[in-house]
Amino acid sequence: MSKLTYPLPKTVVELGKSVLDFNDRAAASLRECFEAAGTPVANLISSPGTGKTELVIKVCEELTARGVATAVLVGDCATDNDARRISRVCPMARQIVTEGLCHIEASMIRDGLVGWDLELIDLLIIENVGNLVCPSDFDLGETLKVALLAVTEGEDKPLKYPHLFATADLIVITKVDLVEACGTDMEEIRENIAAINPGAEVIETSARTGAGIGQLASVLLGAKAATSGGGRDSNVVSGRRYS
Amino acid sequence: MSKLTYPLPKTVVELGKSVLDFNDRAAASLRECFEAAGTPVANLISSPGTGKTELVIKVCEELTARGVATAVLVGDCATDNDARRISRVCPMARQIVTEGLCHIEASMIRDGLVGWDLELIDLLIIENVGNLVCPSDFDLGETLKVALLAVTEGEDKPLKYPHLFATADLIVITKVDLVEACGTDMEEIRENIAAINPGAEVIETSARTGAGIGQLASVLLGAKAATSGGGRDSNVVSGRRYS
C-alpha cells in the first residue's frame, strides 16, 4: 500500500517559522512573568469533546475546597459556553473566542490576563481550543503542557498525534467511567502512550465519578515547585505586562 | 465577563488566502475529473475519535454487498493504521500521512489517486485528518462535505465549531449506541445542528449496532445524481490527472 508523505512546501515552512518565532518571544515573556509571580500554568490540549471543561470544573471545585485561588482562560472558535460553565465554580474565568482560529497564541493569553494580578493566582489553567494538532506548536509560557484523551476516542490517538503526546509533560485520560460501555482497552492506551512518551506521568480521571481529580489537582498545583521562583514584585509584573 | 476576539493579523490573512487560492485551483481540477467520471466523493470531517474509520468500514461492507466499488483515501498525521484497517474490507484504500499537517489538501488527493481509474470507482470516500477546524477550509473537490460528531463529545460542538457544521452538506451523528451511557441529550444536539445549519440532512449512526449505515451508504452513493455528469472518457481523465 502506498504511504504518501507531505513535507510542507518551502514557503509555508518559512512563514510558519516566522509566526512561531513571534509566538515564542511572547511566550518567553509570559513565562518570565509566571515564574516571577510563582504561578504554575497548565495548558490543556485535547480533541473537541474529550471533556476538558467538565474536568476543569471538578479541579476548580477541588482546589477551592483547599483554599487555592485558580484562574481559567478557555479558548473556543465560537461561543463563551465554557467560560460561563466554569465561572459558576471559579470567579476568575474568561473566554478567548478565536473567531475560527484553531489554537490559542501567547498574545491571546497576555491579553486575557489584563486586570488580573498574577500574585493572587495560585494556579492558572488554560483550556486550549479542541484540536490535537495545531495547539501543540504554540508555546503559551506554560509550566505544564497537558495532553488529554478520552477513553471514548479509541486507543491509538497517541500514535496518530505523536507530536502532542511526545512533548506533553503530563497525560490525562478522561471519562474512565465509560471504559466498559466503549469496550476500551486501557492496557493498549497505556502501551501506546509509553511508546510515544516513555516515563510520562499519566493520570486516569472521571469527572463523573471524581476518580483522579484530587491527584490531577495536586499535580497541576505542584508544578509550582518546578518554576524558577523568581521575585514577587507585583508592580514589576503588572507594569510590564498586565496593567 | 470579557469576551476576547482575535481576527487574524493582516499578514496571515494574505498568506492564508494565497494557500487557499492554490488549493481551490487544485480542487476545481479534481472536481472536474470526478464529475467527468461520474464518481461522487464524500469528504468526512470530525474530531479525532469520532469513529470515522469504523463507520467507513461498515459503509464499505454495506456497499460491497451491493456490488458498489468503493475507494478510500484516509489522512492522518502519522501511522497507516486506518488504511490497514479499511483495506481488510476495501481493496482500494490508501493512507495519506500528512507528517503533522492538520488537514488534507487537494494536491494530496490528486497524488493519492495515482494509478486508480476513476471510471472504475463508484464512490470515493475521503477520511480527513481528525480536526474540527482546519480541514473545513480546504476544498478537496468533493461532492459532499460531511461533518460528523459522536454522542460522546457533548451536545454543543455544532455551536463551537460553526464553520464546519454550517457548510456541511450532510451531518452524521456517530456512536448513538452510547447515548444512554454518556447521558447525551439527542434533542439538544439536533437543536444545535438546526441552529447552525437549518435543513441539513442528519443521519444517526452506530457502527456497533449497524444503525443508520444503510441510509448513510445510500446518501453517499446517491450524491452521484448531484454531479454534473460530464463525459466518461477514461483516457482523458487518466491523461490529465492520474496516469
Side-chain angles (χ1 to χ4, degrees):
Chain A
M1 183 175 308
S2 82
K3 185 172 159 183
L4 308 162
T5 64
Y6 289 88
L8 296 172
K10 190 169 174 233
T11 50
V12 175
V13 171
E14 285 175 351
L15 184 83
K17 187 172 182 304
S18 163
V19 168
L20 290 174
D21 281 351
F22 178 81
N23 184 77
D24 283 348
R25 285 195 294 275
S29 295
L30 281 174
R31 183 167 283 111
E32 202 177 304
C33 294
F34 295 148
E35 293 189 354
T39 305
V41 180
N43 178 11
L44 274 50
I45 303 176
S46 80
S47 301
T50 298
K52 290 185 293 303
T53 305
E54 200 57 29
L55 199 69
V56 166
I57 288 170
K58 298 298 178 185
V59 166
C60 285
E61 286 176 340
E62 168 78 19
L63 290 174
T64 300
R66 296 188 199 174
V68 172
T70 309
V72 182
L73 292 175
V74 51
D76 269 307
C77 293
T79 85
D80 61 353
N81 288 2
D82 287 356
R84 282 191 287 109
R85 286 170 62 197
I86 295 167
S87 66
R88 288 179 205 135
V89 301
C90 173
M92 285 189 287
R94 281 181 180 160
Q95 186 78 42
I96 297 173
V97 178
T98 66
E99 298 278 353
L101 195 63
C102 53
H103 60 272
I104 294 178
E105 297 186 4
S107 60
M108 302 175 184
I109 298 301
R110 185 189 58 211
D111 295 349
L113 290 168
V114 168
W116 283 352
D117 185 349
L118 277 182
E119 298 289 322
L120 304 179
I121 298 175
D122 298 317
L123 172 68
L124 173 64
I125 298 176
I126 300 167
E127 184 186 328
N128 220 308
V129 177
N131 184 329
L132 277 185
V133 189
C134 315
S136 183
D137 285 332
F138 288 82
D139 183 9
L140 303 181
E142 69 267 13
T143 321
L144 287 181
K145 182 172 171 179
V146 184
L148 303 94
L149 74 163
V151 302
T152 53
E153 295 167 8
E155 294 84 1
D156 62 356
K157 295 300 163 288
L159 305 180
K160 284 179 167 183
Y161 301 87
H163 182 59
L164 170 62
F165 286 95
T167 59
D169 302 299
L170 170 67
I171 295 174
V172 177
I173 303 175
T174 63
K175 306 190 184 182
V176 295
D177 56 287
L178 290 171
V179 163
E180 197 175 339
C182 295
T184 312
D185 185 335
M186 288 298 286
E187 195 48 46
E188 190 179 341
I189 292 186
R190 291 186 201 107
E191 286 171 6
N192 288 339
I193 291 173
I196 292 295
N197 193 339
E201 181 166 7
V202 180
I203 302 178
E204 300 180 8
T205 66
S206 164
R208 185 181 276 177
T209 69
I213 300 296
Q215 184 188 357
L216 176 58
S218 295
V219 169
L220 298 184
L221 197 59
K224 193 166 191 167
T227 66
S228 70
R232 279 181 164 267
D233 182 341
S234 179
N235 290 331
V236 172
V237 174
S238 299
R240 282 162 64 196
R241 289 281 144 200
Y242 308 119
S243 61
Chain B
M1 182 175 310
S2 82
K3 185 171 158 183
L4 309 162
T5 63
Y6 289 89
L8 295 172
K10 191 169 175 237
T11 50
V12 175
V13 170
E14 285 175 350
L15 184 84
K17 187 172 182 305
S18 163
V19 169
L20 290 174
D21 280 353
F22 177 80
N23 185 77
D24 283 349
R25 284 195 294 275
S29 294
L30 281 175
R31 183 168 283 111
E32 201 177 304
C33 295
F34 295 147
E35 293 188 353
T39 305
V41 180
N43 177 11
L44 274 50
I45 303 176
S46 81
S47 301
T50 298
K52 290 185 294 303
T53 305
E54 201 57 29
L55 200 69
V56 166
I57 287 170
K58 298 297 178 186
V59 166
C60 284
E61 286 176 340
E62 168 77 20
L63 290 174
T64 300
R66 296 189 200 174
V68 173
T70 309
V72 181
L73 292 175
V74 51
D76 269 308
C77 292
T79 86
D80 62 352
N81 288 3
D82 287 356
R84 282 190 288 111
R85 286 170 62 197
I86 295 166
S87 66
R88 288 179 205 135
V89 301
C90 173
M92 285 190 286
R94 281 182 180 160
Q95 186 78 42
I96 297 174
V97 178
T98 65
E99 298 278 355
L101 194 63
C102 54
H103 59 273
I104 295 178
E105 298 187 3
S107 59
M108 302 175 185
I109 298 300
R110 185 190 58 212
D111 296 348
L113 290 168
V114 169
W116 282 352
D117 185 349
L118 276 182
E119 297 289 321
L120 304 179
I121 298 175
D122 298 317
L123 172 67
L124 172 64
I125 298 176
I126 300 167
E127 183 187 327
N128 220 308
V129 177
N131 184 329
L132 277 184
V133 189
C134 316
S136 183
D137 285 332
F138 289 82
D139 183 8
L140 303 181
E142 70 267 13
T143 321
L144 287 181
K145 182 172 170 179
V146 185
L148 303 94
L149 74 163
V151 302
T152 53
E153 295 166 9
E155 294 84 1
D156 62 356
K157 294 301 163 289
L159 305 181
K160 285 179 165 183
Y161 300 87
H163 182 59
L164 170 62
F165 287 94
T167 59
D169 301 299
L170 170 67
I171 296 174
V172 176
I173 303 175
T174 63
K175 306 190 185 182
V176 295
D177 56 287
L178 290 170
V179 163
E180 197 175 337
C182 296
T184 311
D185 184 336
M186 287 298 285
E187 196 46 47
E188 191 179 338
I189 292 185
R190 292 186 201 105
E191 286 171 7
N192 289 339
I193 290 172
I196 291 295
N197 193 339
E201 181 166 9
V202 180
I203 302 179
E204 301 179 7
T205 66
S206 165
R208 186 182 277 178
T209 69
I213 300 296
Q215 184 188 357
L216 175 59
S218 295
V219 170
L220 298 183
L221 197 60
K224 194 167 190 166
T227 65
S228 71
R232 280 182 162 267
D233 182 340
S234 179
N235 290 331
V236 172
V237 174
S238 299
R240 282 161 65 195
R241 288 282 142 199
Y242 308 119
S243 62

